[in-house]
Amino acid sequence: MLKAENSPKTAIKSLLYKESIFPYLLIAPGSVALLLFIAYPMITNIFMSFFDYKLVQIIKPFVFLDNYIQVLSSGRIWESLVRTITWTGFNILFMNILGLIVAIFLATGFRGNTVIKATILIPWVLPQVVTGYTWSLMLSQDIGVVNHMLQSLGIVPPNFSWFQSGGLAMTAVIIANVWRGFPFFALMIYAKLSTLPRDQVEAARIDGANIKDVFIHITVPYIQSTIKTCSLLAFIWTFNAYDILKVMTNGGPAEETLTLSLIVQREAFQYYELSRAATMSVVMFFAMFAILALLKGIMDLSARRNDR
Amino acid sequence: MKKNIVIYFISAVIFIFTFFPFYWIIATSFKTPIDIYKVPPAIIPGSITFENYITAFTKNHIDVFMVNSLIVSVPSVFLSTLISVFGAYAASRLAFKGKKVFKAGLVSTQFFPMIVILIPLFMLCRILKLYNSYMALILPYIATQVPISILLLSNYFADIPREMEEAARIDGCSRMQTLMKVILPLAVPGIAATSIYSFVQVWQEYLIASSFISNQSKFTLTVGLSTFQGQHATDWGGLMATAVVIALPALFLFTSAQQYFINNLAGGVKE
């Protein structure tokens, strides 16, 4: 009797805490969440791009590559891809430049650099939507404070508007996004710079190297890996950025700042062209990895050339 | 001497570039409409008013958006952190088949654009009748926060000495007891930092929140900002007052836990 009562309990217990099954129990909830809400939608997305999904119709015919032919043969996605690349490229370039300047500056250890170090990441934490609205206000044509300053300094003509041409609108959002992103670069590069071995620099100086030589031959190679990591992260964030563009330009004027993220969201939630949107997002996904692979190839190639 | 002046000049420029927008958000939120629409813009407000905050709460009902944001954020953060604690412990401390695949899967999610899963998630929401409900946001938020939380937490667990665990096992604790009674108490700072990171992410999320909710009474704060934009004019005072309300908790929480995750964040993705 006693045995019968106890055995199921101990059986469950030993099953639960057996070495082999315990780890799987721990990762089960996380794995389920990932499979259900990330992996399954990913696969469904590709699946949808081969069908003609419409919200209103029940039959969803298999159209194979028709969606791709339609999407890729219209100029809209290519223009959007070029815009996305321009947007990403300039963002990363200026985040690096500004980040590097601030990092070097922090590394000089001037008085007050602890204050800047502690607070510089604040723009990075400000919600993207808030950043977008704030820069929209500061750059607005009539009451924008930054716009007014630029006018009184003679940098831009009177009645200047950032949001009437595509190029300028893109520049405005890039300014806002660089403001948001450069502190991350500055802090990461500074962290790496502060571990730069002093004796190496001193030895080079004794051997007659000037500051410029030290910078190019010691500092740059030393921080290269950090710059690569930061740029990779920024690439992913910027290529997929949505909030700040949506709030500041909503893709306008005349779709001239409509990047791939915005075009997919618009097709899906404004026009309800779900299959076309899914197809575009698949294209976007592969474009992103193709660019990353290309960049990696170029970097490997140049690294090999440098080794020679 | 000359060098000092240059350094002070550069630091002043960096400082102004970095912090002026914050000043402008706060200043605008306390300005009267006359000051807001003054040309040239008034750098220092002529008079200070709380009117923008009052209209934001009474006319645009940002209190409703605030409650919605909390209803969505708190369970998302709680559940994703809870799930992640177990996953992270297994990923950092236990040996099991498929561990490499599990970890690679986590890292790879960090490269996936949200937009690629947005449309199927929307379809899923419609099938499960979740469109326009809090669950439509909570479930995707949990799923997006779990991978990064596991990666962050794994780093904290890795820092806890193995001897503590072994001692507990020798004293007769089961694996589960060891985790609950020895590891978790030691990992509290890491768990706190991770949940803060998740909270900041979820609190400011916009893409899913603006796509899956169309009913204004269910808007979260970030989506609610759009209610200040009229057909012809924008109520910048009210908008910036709301911006302060959104940004304050995020900034406060983030700066309080900043040192815990900057390096882990980059490290987690780099590996």
Side-chain angles (χ1 to χ4, degrees), chain A residues 17 19 24 30 37 41 45 53 105 119 121-122 125 127-128 133 148 179 188 229 236 240 261 265 274 288, chain B residues 7 17-19 22 40 83 97 111 113 115-116 119-120 123 143 169 175-176 204 211 229 254 262 266 270:
Chain A
Y17 301 118
E19 302 281 318
Y24 297 104
F37 294 103
N45 198 48
Y53 265 83
F105 187 65
T119 50
L121 213 60
I122 290 179
V125 193
Q128 258 191 69
Y133 280 116
H148 185 79
W179 175 78
M188 297 295 286
T229 309
I236 296 160
N240 301 318
S261 294
Q265 206 275 353
L274 295 184
M288 187 179 114
Chain B
I7 284 180
F17 178 67
T18 311
F19 294 104
F22 288 97
I83 292 171
K97 240 189 211 160
F111 294 86
I115 204 107
V116 177
I119 298 154
M123 309 274 289
R169 293 284 283 159
R175 289 229 152 220
M176 198 62 183
Q204 60 165 290
S211 300
Q229 287 184 303
F254 189 88
I262 301 307
K270 200 163 54 180

Side-chain angles (χ1 to χ4, degrees), chain A residues 25 56 63 65 100 103 123 130 157 178 208 243 260 267 288 303:
Chain A
L25 283 175
V56 283
V63 295
L65 292 176
L100 190 61
V130 172
V178 167
D243 305 5
L260 289 168
E267 288 292 326
M288 187 179 114

Side-chain angles (χ1 to χ4, degrees), chain B residues 149-164:
Chain B
S149 300
I150 293 183
L151 292 172
L152 286 172
L153 282 167
S154 299
N155 287 325
Y156 298 114
F157 286 146
D159 290 339
I160 296 170
R162 273 191 188 274
E163 292 76 35
M164 312 273 300

Side-chain angles (χ1 to χ4, degrees), chain B residues 81 85 149 152-157 159-160 183-198 257 260-261 264:
Chain B
T81 310
V85 163
S149 300
L152 286 172
L153 282 167
S154 299
N155 287 325
Y156 298 114
F157 286 146
D159 290 339
I160 296 170
I183 302 292
L184 285 193
L186 287 170
V188 164
I191 294 170
T194 305
S195 37
I196 285 174
Y197 181 79
S198 284
Y260 283 104
F261 38 70
N264 283 326

Side-chain angles (χ1 to χ4, degrees), chain A residues 9 34 94 101 219 244 255 266 293:
Chain A
K9 227 177 172 185
L34 288 186
F94 287 111
I101 292 173
T219 314
I244 203 165
E255 296 203 342
R266 181 173 289 189

